[in-house]
């Protein structure tokens, strides 16, 4: 890990640079798959499942028998853990419900805002050896609370044509309406256009590799919304002498194990803490099964010493971390002043992995500095806000003339006329 | 206008098709401008301003003298109208403020959600003979209420190198921090990368032609968020015999005058109303200055007869209109059941143009069916929601084991370890 002392403000953007991704060479294949699935539907999906997942399926829909089998294969203690997580996530996301907001903006002018569910949503869950069932909790719980009618889940089959039982168990538990064994670009294209089997959806959520990321970006060109642009996972910890170096090191490593392109950063006003954390990382990384990956990410990462809390928070807001752990004496300073972060973890007993699984907050968060302008997934991600207005005769008489003047000044005579006709009818 | 009676459900998607736009041939020039402005900054901006706006500027920043002059050029009655609109828009958007949401999801686990402003936002306001100062109200008022620190406005100069006084007056009144005389692709590229003069922003809002639309889409690839994908304006009116045919026709024409690619639709359970509205449109269109444009849009548009309110609302939800006017006896039926619409206008005295200017609701709304998944611009468009969690010793003891189990099942040992270390320290 690079140690950096008192970096000059001009060098911040260089120091805080994320490992870059190149996607240009992926775009061609993504465009091709989209094109073929748009034209040929299921037939093209099957072709690409054979090509990319090396399996041929009679039916890409998961059957109720498969779900029953999955239920038997998941241990009771994991089921209990999932249930606890589900309960906490439900409590936090249910609290995010907002009521209708209604005001009379002027005499006889009633305006209100209401949120309505996105009717059809699609979730993508990657395959591989690590089944990300926790992401299913994070996406289906708010989708159901929002009232989405159709919740489609796509996940790639393994070479035996199966999906991991923990994924099937969680999807069933959380009320997914349809599970399709389709992965990668073909899953995103399928949910974008709809095929004979895969339903077309209005918004697509969920993580994935570079192919999935580029496919989701392309989906937006065809009128489908996505949760947010994706990037490698990242964590920034701010720690002073009140922090526990061993805990801090374990948190940094927990993000580092995600992938070699993950990035972890420690910012501290204590040189001692920086040295202690460095030592702890070297000690702890050795016992990790994903040691090689974690070491790759650690190589991208930095330990940064700054002289004051003020300088620290400015640097942190410039970076905009996905996950931000605060282990300092003056917590409130950072809680009040943080503007750009996905989710914030406060105190020595709040590891980042708590938010990944079970504290109740959502783990689908903006990476790559997108915390500057994007929210993490929350209840509103599954709804859209609509406005309503009802104007009385008295109301149009109150604001009608202003509308006429403004419409005329903008050169929009028919806009004016719609008011003039009404005002004249009231004379 | 095409009259359609009792359309078969299978034909809905064909009937409700929007006029299409082709953008592929625009992408090359947009990419080129982005590339040059990224490399050369202001110099490339100047070059394209000369090329596209046919004017050469010494300084693209609007000076305080220019603003003072603009204030003198706007009539007092227009100033008063703008003030009234500003007041109503402020009342409605201020009501949208949400408080911190805080819950204990479990013993010792405090989670909360707070919204923080997007620090730097950019607004694009098109030029031309019709100065869209109303859009400045719609974007700056929520930006200021949200607490955005930097509000940059770009608008193209005319051939004399000037911006319309109503735009400058409104921008100044509403607290824009910097006004740049830059238009089209070069404005969007400038705000995406930042130049010596144009500040880089985190999110770009505002309407524009096809070039601006494609440029905003490209900006998202460089990490800038945008308000929403854009498309031509549209209006759907549902009316029964209690509606006023003359008012309905004037509303349809008010959207039709926006552009030849605008679309207006009347859905009615009354054949008499359909015939009356058709007659009124023919009568009213003749006196409009933008007659030719309105007639072009009317040619794209439809009068659709359906047998029941239930069939009507299903068809309307399938279309997802930007603006939706409800002039029927049973208003509540439509208010309760509408799921996909940008903004809803209720009753005979609520013309769509009221929402365009002065009722208080926002006029930046999802077109092209995007109401199915996107919100119109509102206070939250200028903020992002962040989550926080603070877990006590008791709290981590409550959920720690569940996290360990789930992390292990996902194959993420370091995630588990971050909890294990803490649990062991508490033994």
């Amino acid at each position: 890990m690079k140690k950096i002392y008192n970096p000059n403000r001009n060098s911040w953007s260089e120091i805080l640079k994320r490992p870059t991704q190149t996607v240009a060479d992926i775009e061609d294949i993504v465009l091709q798959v989209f094109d073929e699935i748009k034209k040929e539907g299921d037939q093209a999906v099957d072709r690409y499942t054979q090509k990319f997942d090396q399996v041929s399926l009679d039916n890409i829909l998961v059957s109720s028998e498969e779900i029953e089998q999955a239920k038997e294969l998941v241990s009771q203690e994991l089921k209990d853990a999932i249930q606890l997580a589900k309960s906490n996530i439900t409590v936090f996301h249910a609290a995010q419900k907002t009521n209708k907001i209604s005001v009379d903006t002027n005499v006889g002018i009633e305006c209100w805002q209401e949120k309505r569910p996105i009717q059809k949503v699609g979730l993508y869950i990657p395959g591989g050896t690590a089944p990300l069932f926790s992401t299913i909790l994070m996406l289906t719980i708010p989708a159901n609370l929002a009232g989405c009618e159709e919740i489609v889940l796509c996940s790639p089959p393994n070479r035996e044509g199966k999906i991991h039982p923990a994924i099937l168990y969680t999807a069933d538990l959380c009320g997914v309406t349809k599970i399709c064994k389709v992965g990668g670009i073909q899953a995103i294209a399928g949910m974008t256009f709809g095929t004979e089997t895969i339903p077309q959806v209005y918004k697509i959520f969920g993580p994935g590799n570079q192919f999935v990321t580029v496919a989701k970006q392309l989906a937006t060109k065809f009128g489908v919304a996505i949760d947010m642009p994706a990037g490698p996972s990242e964590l920034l910890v701010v720690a002073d002498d009140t922090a526990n170096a061993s805990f801090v090191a374990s948190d940094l490593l927990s993000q580092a194990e995600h992938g070699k392109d993950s990035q972890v950063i420690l910012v501290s006003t204590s040189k001692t803490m920086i040295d202690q954390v460095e030592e702890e990382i070297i000690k702890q990384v050795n016992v990790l099964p994903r040691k090689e990956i974690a070491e790759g990410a650690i190589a991208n990462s930095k330990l940064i010493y700054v002289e004051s809390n003020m300088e620290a928070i400015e640097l942190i807001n410039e970076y905009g971390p996905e996950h931000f752990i605060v282990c300092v004496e003056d917590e409130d300073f950072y809680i009040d002043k943080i503007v750009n972060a996905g989710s914030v973890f406060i105190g020595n007993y709040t590891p980042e992995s708590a938010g990944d699984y079970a504290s109740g907050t959502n783990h689908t968060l903006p990476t790559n500095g997108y915390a500057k302008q994007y929210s993490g997934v929350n209840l509103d991600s599954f709804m859209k806000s609509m406005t309503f207005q009802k104007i009385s005769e008295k109301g149009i008489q109150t604001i009608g003339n202003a509308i006429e003047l403004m419409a005329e000044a903008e050169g929009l005579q028919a806009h004016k006329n719609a008011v003039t006709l009404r005002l004249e009818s009231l004379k």
Side-chain angles (χ1 to χ4, degrees), chain A:
Chain A
M1 279 181 107
K2 261 188 220 110
K3 285 201 251 185
I4 300 161
Y5 294 93
N6 272 324
N8 185 298
R9 202 168 284 250
N10 295 332
S11 68
W12 283 6
S13 67
E14 188 56 36
I15 292 169
L16 299 175
K17 223 177 214 168
R18 274 111 171 149
T20 49
Q21 297 183 287
T22 50
V23 295
D25 46 336
I26 293 180
E27 281 185 357
D28 288 343
I29 177 70
V30 173
L31 273 169
Q32 191 190 335
V33 177
F34 266 62
D35 192 46
E36 291 179 25
I37 288 180
K38 187 180 181 184
K39 281 188 204 136
E40 300 172 55
D42 279 348
Q43 213 182 327
V45 171
D46 286 347
R47 200 161 58 239
Y48 281 109
T49 299
Q50 287 181 41
K51 183 173 176 183
F52 294 135
D53 300 314
Q54 277 138 44
V55 62
S56 181
L57 299 172
D58 289 335
N59 188 352
I60 59 174
L61 283 186
V62 169
S63 68
S64 49
E65 291 76 44
E66 287 175 285
I67 289 174
E68 290 310 312
Q69 283 165 15
K71 285 182 191 169
E72 287 172 22
L73 292 169
V74 177
S75 72
Q76 190 55 48
E77 63 176 359
L78 184 57
K79 282 180 185 168
D80 292 344
I82 290 172
Q83 190 54 56
L84 177 74
K86 181 169 183 265
S87 160
N88 291 350
I89 297 164
T90 301
V91 168
F92 186 56
H93 288 78
Q96 294 168 23
K97 276 199 184 165
T98 43
N99 295 321
K100 168 177 161 178
I101 290 160
S102 183
V103 280
D104 285 1
T105 57
N106 213 318
V107 186
I109 303 170
E110 191 188 351
C111 295
W112 69 99
Q113 182 195 44
E114 282 186 60
K115 287 171 188 162
R116 305 265 159 114
I118 298 174
Q119 292 169 299
K120 304 173 187 187
V121 298
L123 319 181
Y124 184 74
I125 302 294
T129 47
L132 298 184
F133 57 86
S134 62
T135 303
I136 302 177
L137 294 168
M138 296 296 172
L139 299 178
T140 54
I141 292 171
N144 274 310
L145 287 168
C148 301
E149 291 163 20
E150 188 158 16
I151 304 173
V152 180
L153 187 149
C154 288
S155 191
N158 64 18
R159 299 227 180 146
E160 285 75 50
K162 289 185 176 164
I163 291 182
H164 194 288
I167 289 184
L168 295 185
Y169 169 77
T170 312
D172 180 64
L173 179 74
C174 296
V176 167
T177 46
K178 205 173 228 186
I179 309 173
C180 301
K181 294 186 232 176
V182 188
I185 310 168
Q186 58 272 28
I188 307 301
M191 292 192 282
T192 299
F193 301 117
T195 70
E196 299 88 325
T197 313
I198 307 169
Q200 185 180 31
V201 302
Y202 298 153
K203 190 169 182 178
I204 297 175
F205 296 78
N209 59 19
Q210 290 196 328
F211 293 96
V212 171
T213 300
V214 174
K216 280 172 68 183
Q217 204 167 49
L218 184 61
T220 65
K221 280 206 185 178
F222 294 98
V224 175
I226 61 171
D227 46 1
M228 69 190 80
S233 202
E234 56 193 36
L235 167 67
L236 188 148
V237 180
V238 64
D240 64 14
D241 285 321
T242 67
N244 179 314
S246 158
F247 296 175
V248 171
S250 74
D251 290 326
L252 293 170
L253 285 170
S254 75
Q255 281 307 294
E257 79 172 337
H258 270 302
K260 287 187 182 177
D261 53 0
S262 297
Q263 192 178 39
V264 295
I265 294 176
L266 172 66
V267 174
S268 182
T269 50
S270 157
K271 288 180 187 171
T272 321
M273 180 54 58
I274 284 182
D275 292 339
Q276 286 174 353
V277 169
E278 189 183 29
E279 264 173 54
E280 277 289 334
I281 285 177
I282 293 165
K283 207 164 76 187
Q284 291 182 25
V285 77
N286 277 316
V287 298
L288 290 180
R290 293 164 74 99
K291 180 185 172 193
E292 203 202 339
I293 292 173
E295 283 180 337
I298 290 293
N300 290 325
S301 298
K302 275 124 194 168
L303 308 167
I304 303 173
Y305 168 81
V306 292
E307 299 231 315
S308 69
N309 283 335
M310 188 53 87
E311 204 172 348
I313 190 71
E314 287 176 11
L315 183 139
I316 295 162
N317 275 325
E318 170 116 0
Y319 183 68
E322 179 192 15
H323 304 102
F324 175 38
I325 295 184
V326 180
C327 291
V328 296
E329 196 170 8
D330 190 358
E331 292 172 352
D332 287 341
F333 176 85
Y334 287 93
I335 295 172
D336 290 346
K337 293 203 163 40
I338 183 71
V339 184
N340 301 324
S343 195
V344 185
F345 301 79
I346 300 150
N348 287 330
Y349 292 93
T350 314
E352 187 275 329
S353 50
D356 279 344
Y357 293 107
S359 65
T361 60
N362 208 293
H363 79 197
T364 306
L365 297 167
T367 55
N368 205 30
Y370 291 127
K372 289 174 183 166
Q373 63 269 78
Y374 290 95
S375 306
V377 164
N378 59 78
L379 184 64
D380 282 348
S381 309
F382 296 87
M383 313 187 86
K384 55 255 158 61
S385 106
M386 286 165 54
T387 54
F388 299 76
Q389 54 240 285
K390 186 169 181 178
I391 302 178
S392 68
E393 299 181 7
K394 174 81 185 141
I396 196 69
Q397 285 172 321
T398 307
I399 64 167
N401 190 237
I403 300 170
E404 289 180 309
L405 278 161
M406 292 173 77
E408 178 137 36
E410 289 194 353
L412 296 171
Q413 198 66 34
H415 282 65
K416 178 184 177 184
N417 198 41
V419 173
T420 307
L421 282 177
R422 287 166 166 96
L423 291 180
E424 277 174 5
S425 80
L426 296 172
K427 270 180 187 164

